[in-house]
Amino acid sequence: MYLFALNSTFNPQLGALQAPTVPTQQVHFDGRLDRVRHPDSQGPPVTKMAEEAAQPIITSCTPVRVFKDHENDVFAIAVLPDCRRMVTGSADKMVRLWDLNEGVVLKKSMVGHRDRVQAVAVSGDGRLIVSGDDNGVLIAWDRTLEPLTQPIKAHSHWLAFPWIASLCFSPDGTVLATGSFGNTLIKLWSTKTWQQLGNPIDLGIFNNGCCIRYSPSGELLAIASNFSTQIWNSGTRTCVTTFKAQGHNVFGVHGNSSLVWTPDGTHLLSAINCDATIRVFDTSTWQQVGDSWKGHMANINAIALNPAGTLVASASDDMQVRVWRLSDQRTSAIFHHIGPVRCITFSTDGNHIFSGGSDKCISEWAVPGALLEDHPKSQTLTSKDALLEDTPKEQASNKDAPCNEELCQQAAEAERAIQTVIDTELDNAPLRLLDTTTGLLCDRQAQISAFKTKTEYKKLLLLVAKYPDLRTERIEEVVEMYFRCVMLSHRWEGKEPLLHDIQGKVVYELEEAGTIVKLQSFCRIARDAGFHWAWVDSCCIDQHDNVELQRSLNSMFAWYRDSALTIVYLSDVPPSSKSGALAKSAWNTRGWTVPEFLAPRVIRFYQQDWTPYLDDHSPNHKESLTIMHELEDVTGIDARALVAFQPGMGGAREKLQWVSTRVTTVQEDIAYSLFGIFGIQLPILYGENKQKALGRLLQEIVAQSGDISALDWVGKSSEFNSCLPADISSYEAPPCTPPSLSEDEIQTSVSSLRNTMAVELALKLYSMLDSLSAPRFANCRLHLPCVAFRVTEVRRRRGQAQGPYFTYEVKADGLQDLLITTEDKLLQFSRARPTRQTFVLVRPWDRCLLELPDTADDAQTEEDWSEPGSPLPDSPCGSLGENDPFDSESSEKALRLIVRLGQPFGAFLLAQQRGGEYRRIASDHDIVAHTQDMAAVHRMMDVRTLEIL
């Protein structure tokens, strides 16, 4: 509601307040708005205030919006350059980040400040936020209000409170200046290291730093104290000048409270408390320009200048916000608070004013349209219609100005360019997301529609339309920033809310019961962290749509990978738990949680009451050594992998061991949950049973990578293939890793072999093994390259049976005798009593034994390129030693292979079937075989590829 300062009448025809019809030249004022003198009356001449009052002053007691959440006086306000967020500081010891579009708190600083926060500042690029309190403590935050530093004790005082009264970033954002009302030192800090830069600026006795402001160029630093205003060169740290405005109290207790530079740096405005005035100084002479601006009846606590440099807003203890025109120094509008006003700022577009004070609120006031018309149009980007705002007069004066049709075409092209980036961004994003502000579940189109209503989109649209050559990276940055998503990792408990339970409903308005509370709390945490979107597996996937379900499960690892933040909710970890509680959580027993904590780059753990685990408020718990070491101990996953995991086929056996003790509600999920870890996409076939699901996964790992470590397990064979386990728990035991030889031991053995065996056999075996194909699967049958040793005797050991297991003594050509325990009942035979069924012990072939160089990352150059089929002379491929069997390098490689083949190895016991294929006999422990004689190369020459069912 707007009122004129003079008595006004309501014109029912105009539907608005109308000023009195008395001509202003016939009215005199004596400086009081409530006393009007006729020209015939005796009195003083017309004062400046009388001239102000002679023109209508718009007043209002009702702000456009009120932001309520602080619990005490609001002392500081700053807006971020994205036009979307605002940060405030209060006597309640809290810093809050607000969404200006929705009018809600995005984030609160839960820890850090222990006293009143009287200063906040935002860097020019909006990436940094800083806050200072009455205890002299400074904290740096990122743009989502996640702390970047531990609390820094920036200022101190042996007698008085060292409160930080002012903070100011240099224009380039590399330096932060801090001033304290408790001492005379101004300190400069690096915003990269947050260390103090050199010695502080000393203002001199009685000159406490009330307000600090960098000039627009960054060259000068204006410092207002309670006694004088000082101008310093920020580079040399030398004082340029010191001056006092007339009327200063002799003791300086009511000096300068606030400073602001004009955008061109030609003038500096200062708020003077001793007489509640604003004064303007010419920065070329440092002399006051014109008269003091009068109007406030009590201390002025803060002043601000709009981005166009045409309007000044002031906040005062007289409970008023005044808006002044810089051109004529007149008050044009007055906004009334219900208590003293402590702080003030303009919105980034200059169309609104935000003020806060003892009413514990932040009030948003609309700058009257008449004042906005006094200065050039704001560059605020609203929509494509803004492209058509040029007046006919402006178009007439600009012959090159595009016509409306061209502008519409530019807008359409801009929309297409942005839509292309949006489509690319969302192509790999979840189909449905929760809007953390509205609490509604949104599909893809709703997400896009929501974006197009936001200021970010409107600005981007006009920017792209006006600058068609704008780099795509800039568009991507804006789009990516808006669509950042927070993912939830949790343990399903009881009846989780599904899609149909929340679709079309506001999550925050659902009855707070059971797992609904978890959903609501998660959305609030994401919202308070500054994110628009959140995702929960239970309700953001249509469990009844097989196509959507399959796509979601195959994409889930990538979604967590690309998330801006993953929140892990530990429902069974009580508040204020000590280190070790995470390890005991049931969350660590579930299958799906493994990729959910490996995939994300940023992760935070929350306890039962939604407070950070170990009270760790750092932005990323993957950077917490304490938490990562605890997770390493309980999962068996190396801390480096926990922090920087890369999906892929490498280290298959180790990854399978990570999940060997995990459980899932649906049996097939134990395999499906691993697809992302191995970088595999396969059909999701619920109902196929876990053996087939796990079999398809392991088959793909072996087929794609040739890694046979996945065949190293103990337990029961799978129905899918006997060389694969029936259950993931078969990988719980450590892999079979016989002791390795040192290089000295290898060289000693090689020297011994040169004197005891024919090198030609070693070369021949090397070539045979080098020519073997990689293992592969076809129709659930494994084609396994191996070195086979024929079994000559199987004899059951009496009295060794334990439960369902039988122990057999097994003999094989070229191997030492060994014992094998299995659930299978084997036919007993010997050389004297042979059987028709053939048994072999095999060594699965591993090409690593050839010690070939790893050329995966080596670029081939013209110099080392050769025609296919023409190996280099010393190439360790199929022709090794054929032309020169005694070539020293070839012989060395062949003999080294023999040494390695002579070491103990993990063997498979295979039984031949009627069709000639083989079946693996599973054992309850590793079968470790030993060769009888390393030099007996002829015993190792049975090299073949077996087909295993």
Side-chain angles (χ1 to χ4, degrees):
M1 176 180 180
Y2 294 105
L3 298 172
F4 288 106
L6 297 174
N7 293 329
S8 305
T9 59
F10 184 77
N11 187 328
Q13 293 181 340
L14 297 177
L17 288 167
Q18 190 172 28
T21 57
V22 180
T24 56
Q25 66 268 23
Q26 295 182 0
V27 184
H28 291 284
F29 294 86
D30 62 1
R32 291 276 303 276
L33 288 177
D34 58 344
R35 291 194 287 184
V36 182
R37 285 190 176 273
H38 194 274
D40 293 337
S41 303
Q42 297 297 317
V46 177
T47 64
K48 178 177 172 60
M49 184 172 285
E51 294 174 1
E52 288 180 359
Q55 298 187 15
I57 299 176
I58 299 173
T59 71
S60 175
C61 299
T62 308
V64 175
R65 280 191 300 180
V66 176
F67 298 78
K68 295 182 178 180
D69 196 62
H70 280 296
E71 299 172 2
N72 211 322
D73 292 19
V74 178
F75 279 99
I77 302 178
V79 292
L80 276 70
D82 61 7
C83 298
R84 184 171 61 86
R85 289 171 292 171
M86 168 179 68
V87 63
T88 57
S90 166
D92 63 10
K93 308 175 187 178
M94 301 282 281
V95 179
R96 284 167 170 78
L97 186 67
W98 304 79
D99 186 321
L100 293 179
N101 293 331
E102 308 297 339
V104 297
V105 174
L106 294 173
K107 185 74 178 294
K108 303 177 186 179
S109 61
M110 303 306 295
V111 295
H113 289 298
R114 299 183 178 180
D115 217 322
R116 297 189 305 177
V117 179
Q118 293 209 58
V120 298
V122 177
S123 62
D125 59 7
R127 295 180 179 272
L128 298 175
I129 298 170
V130 288
S131 55
D133 65 25
D134 280 8
N135 197 35
V137 169
L138 170 73
I139 301 179
W141 318 81
D142 68 10
R143 55 188 170 191
T144 66
L145 208 62
E146 289 292 338
L148 296 174
T149 65
Q150 295 295 322
I152 301 169
K153 185 66 174 177
H155 290 272
S156 59
H157 194 279
W158 67 274
L159 181 62
F161 286 111
W163 74 74
I164 294 178
S166 185
L167 301 166
C168 187
F169 283 98
S170 61
D172 62 6
T174 60
V175 179
L176 174 73
T178 64
S180 168
F181 199 76
N183 59 43
T184 64
L185 301 180
I186 302 300
K187 297 184 179 182
L188 304 182
W189 306 81
S190 166
T191 58
K192 291 185 178 180
T193 64
W194 295 107
Q195 299 296 313
Q196 187 176 333
L197 298 171
N199 295 323
I201 295 173
D202 192 343
L203 303 180
I205 190 169
F206 299 134
N207 282 292
N208 299 336
C210 301
C211 183
I212 314 168
R213 292 292 179 263
Y214 273 97
S215 64
S217 67
E219 179 183 358
L220 300 178
L221 196 61
I223 306 170
S225 75
N226 54 348
F227 192 70
S228 66
T229 299
Q230 301 184 18
I231 309 299
W232 289 72
N233 184 299
S234 62
T236 62
R237 302 207 190 175
T238 56
C239 184
V240 176
T241 187
T242 300
F243 57 89
K244 293 193 298 183
Q246 293 181 356
H248 270 298
N249 182 285
V250 68
F251 296 107
V253 294
H254 296 293
N256 303 339
S257 61
S258 186
L259 297 171
V260 63
W261 295 81
T262 55
D264 58 7
T266 59
H267 293 85
L268 178 70
L269 282 71
S270 172
I272 310 298
N273 273 347
C274 60
D275 57 1
T277 63
I278 298 173
R279 308 189 184 197
V280 183
F281 295 88
D282 187 327
T283 58
S284 63
T285 64
W286 300 113
Q287 298 297 311
Q288 183 172 332
V289 178
D291 296 329
S292 302
W293 303 8
K294 297 181 179 180
H296 281 297
M297 308 302 292
N299 290 346
I300 300 175
N301 294 312
I303 57 175
L305 192 68
N306 71 337
T310 58
L311 300 175
V312 178
S314 55
S316 170
D317 282 346
D318 64 7
M319 302 184 289
Q320 289 184 359
V321 168
R322 283 182 172 249
V323 183
W324 315 71
R325 282 192 299 266
L326 187 61
S327 58
D328 57 13
Q329 306 176 6
R330 297 181 185 277
T331 298
S332 298
I334 300 175
F335 304 132
H336 294 276
H337 274 249
I338 61 173
V341 192
R342 311 288 192 196
C343 51
I344 196 162
T345 192
F346 279 90
S347 61
T348 307
D349 59 13
N351 294 334
H352 293 83
I353 294 170
F354 299 98
S355 55
S358 63
D359 55 4
K360 307 176 186 178
C361 304
I362 300 95
S363 298
E364 179 182 3
W365 312 90
V367 177
L371 298 182
L372 295 177
E373 293 173 0
D374 288 343
H375 60 81
K377 284 189 176 291
S378 167
Q379 293 302 310
T380 303
L381 311 181
T382 54
S383 69
K384 68 180 182 182
D385 296 331
L387 290 171
L388 306 176
E389 287 183 352
D390 289 337
T391 63
K393 179 180 178 181
E394 290 170 330
Q395 291 183 5
S397 63
N398 184 1
K399 296 180 180 180
D400 296 328
C403 64
N404 286 358
E405 182 178 348
E406 291 175 321
L407 292 173
C408 288
Q409 183 177 355
Q410 291 175 12
E413 292 174 354
E415 283 184 332
R416 285 193 294 270
I418 298 173
Q419 187 64 50
T420 299
V421 175
I422 293 174
D423 291 342
T424 301
E425 176 70 21
L426 297 184
D427 188 49
N428 298 317
L431 300 175
R432 295 182 183 83
L433 293 172
L434 286 159
D435 187 324
T436 61
T437 302
T438 65
L440 291 171
L441 183 66
C442 299
D443 60 14
R444 182 65 50 78
Q445 190 55 49
Q447 295 165 37
I448 297 173
S449 297
F451 179 42
K452 291 184 176 180
T453 66
K454 302 298 181 181
T455 304
E456 298 99 309
Y457 176 80
K458 296 172 183 176
K459 282 188 170 186
L460 185 62
L461 182 63
L462 189 52
L463 191 64
V464 175
K466 287 189 173 182
Y467 305 100
D469 296 331
L470 186 70
R471 294 176 51 159
T472 304
E473 289 84 353
R474 172 59 182 153
I475 304 175
E476 291 172 344
E477 181 182 341
V478 175
V479 172
E480 180 182 347
M481 185 69 179
Y482 177 80
F483 285 104
R484 294 179 307 158
C485 178
V486 182
M487 308 284 284
L488 178 66
S489 174
H490 66 123
R491 179 170 60 96
W492 281 44
E493 303 168 285
K495 187 181 184 303
E496 295 282 344
L498 302 178
L499 177 69
H500 64 83
D501 295 319
I502 69 167
Q503 198 161 31
K505 302 174 184 177
V506 177
V507 166
Y508 301 124
E509 296 177 0
L510 297 176
E511 182 181 355
E512 296 185 6
T515 52
I516 290 293
V517 177
K518 174 168 62 175
L519 177 62
Q520 293 169 331
S521 300
F522 166 63
C523 289
R524 289 191 183 101
I525 291 287
R527 180 193 65 194
D528 291 348
F531 298 98
H532 289 294
W533 304 104
W535 186 89
V536 184
D537 55 359
S538 58
C539 59
C540 293
I541 300 175
D542 187 349
Q543 311 284 343
H544 302 293
D545 185 332
N546 289 333
V547 174
E548 179 181 335
L549 184 61
Q550 175 154 311
R551 177 182 175 183
S552 297
L553 295 186
N554 267 314
S555 303
M556 202 171 295
F557 186 92
W559 292 348
Y560 277 94
R561 187 75 166 174
D562 295 337
S563 68
L565 169 67
T566 290
I567 287 176
V568 176
Y569 179 55
L570 308 171
S571 61
D572 53 356
V573 173
S576 304
S577 291
K578 303 299 181 183
S579 182
L582 168 60
K584 299 175 183 176
S585 174
W587 175 84
N588 271 311
T589 67
R590 309 303 298 178
W592 279 108
T593 59
V594 178
E596 289 170 5
F597 70 73
L598 285 177
R601 295 175 175 86
V602 181
I603 198 167
R604 297 191 72 183
F605 292 88
Y606 284 83
Q607 302 170 133
Q608 192 178 74
D609 63 348
W610 288 94
T611 57
Y613 180 56
L614 301 184
D615 198 31
D616 185 341
H617 291 265
S618 61
N620 186 5
H621 285 173
K622 283 201 170 185
E623 297 176 356
S624 166
L625 294 178
T626 301
I627 295 178
M628 288 300 102
H629 283 319
E630 183 178 352
L631 202 58
E632 178 182 32
D633 291 341
V634 69
T635 62
I637 303 174
D638 183 79
R640 289 171 295 182
L642 289 173
V643 173
F645 176 78
Q646 294 294 329
M649 298 293 183
R653 180 59 173 79
E654 182 184 21
K655 293 173 182 174
L656 292 167
Q657 187 177 3
W658 292 346
V659 297
S660 60
T661 60
R662 301 277 173 156
V663 294
T664 56
T665 302
V666 180
Q667 59 174 329
E668 293 92 347
D669 276 344
I670 197 63
Y672 302 160
S673 65
L674 300 178
F675 285 4
I677 289 178
F678 288 102
I680 289 174
Q681 288 203 348
L682 293 172
I684 306 296
L685 305 172
Y686 282 116
E688 64 176 329
N689 76 42
K690 67 177 179 181
Q691 291 194 30
K692 290 184 179 179
L694 183 59
R696 288 195 297 120
L697 169 66
L698 298 174
Q699 170 184 268
E700 196 70 13
I701 293 172
V702 174
Q704 286 194 26
S705 67
D707 184 357
I708 60 171
S709 66
L711 308 180
D712 182 359
W713 53 268
V714 295
K716 295 183 178 180
S717 292
S718 170
E719 298 173 357
F720 185 86
N721 185 279
S722 64
C723 251
L724 302 178
D727 193 273
I728 195 73
S729 61
S730 292
Y731 292 108
E732 182 177 0
C736 179
T737 53
S740 59
L741 294 174
S742 68
E743 182 60 29
D744 287 343
E745 291 172 324
I746 293 176
Q747 288 299 331
T748 299
S749 298
V750 167
S751 298
S752 175
L753 287 174
R754 288 187 188 276
N755 303 321
T756 58
M757 65 168 292
V759 176
E760 295 93 331
L761 279 178
L763 290 168
K764 181 178 180 181
L765 179 58
Y766 190 107
S767 295
M768 291 171 61
L769 291 171
D770 186 36
S771 64
L772 284 175
S773 300
R776 63 184 179 87
F777 271 93
N779 299 320
C780 300
R781 297 181 177 217
L782 172 63
H783 297 263
L784 181 69
C786 60
V787 178
F789 300 86
R790 183 179 181 86
V791 174
T792 58
E793 182 175 325
V794 173
R795 188 181 303 276
R796 181 177 169 185
R797 176 172 284 191
R798 301 295 178 182
Q800 293 289 319
Q802 296 180 354
Y805 292 96
F806 303 95
T807 301
Y808 296 92
E809 297 176 357
V810 178
K811 297 178 183 293
D813 288 338
L815 299 178
Q816 298 178 19
D817 297 351
L818 64 163
L819 297 178
I820 296 177
T821 303
T822 179
E823 282 188 336
D824 293 341
K825 194 171 183 179
L826 304 181
L827 288 173
Q828 300 184 66
F829 65 94
S830 64
R831 292 185 186 274
R833 299 177 57 188
T835 179
R836 289 186 177 181
Q837 188 174 24
T838 299
F839 288 84
V840 291
L841 278 165
V842 302
R843 175 177 198 147
W845 173 235
D846 184 353
R847 289 187 62 82
C848 292
L849 295 177
L850 294 175
E851 298 184 294
L852 298 175
D854 184 5
T855 58
D857 300 322
D858 294 340
Q860 189 181 49
T861 63
E862 292 184 4
E863 288 77 8
D864 57 25
W865 183 87
S866 58
E867 288 287 348
S870 303
L872 297 175
D874 59 350
S875 173
C877 47
S879 59
L880 178 64
E882 289 179 0
N883 297 325
D884 182 5
F886 297 101
D887 174 80
S888 59
E889 186 172 348
S890 301
S891 300
E892 175 77 12
K893 292 178 179 179
L895 293 176
R896 289 176 66 89
L897 173 63
I898 299 302
V899 172
R900 293 184 179 278
L901 290 176
Q903 302 308 304
F905 62 91
F908 299 166
L909 177 60
L910 304 181
Q912 191 173 34
Q913 306 301 295
R914 291 183 177 179
E917 311 93 341
Y918 287 82
R919 184 175 67 85
R920 179 174 174 178
I921 307 299
S923 176
D924 71 333
H925 65 276
D926 291 322
I927 302 175
V928 181
H930 299 256
T931 58
Q932 289 179 337
D933 182 4
M934 183 192 308
V937 180
H938 63 281
R939 296 286 184 89
M940 307 179 196
M941 300 299 287
D942 189 1
V943 177
R944 45 180 156 159
T945 297
L946 300 179
E947 184 178 1
I948 304 174
L949 301 176

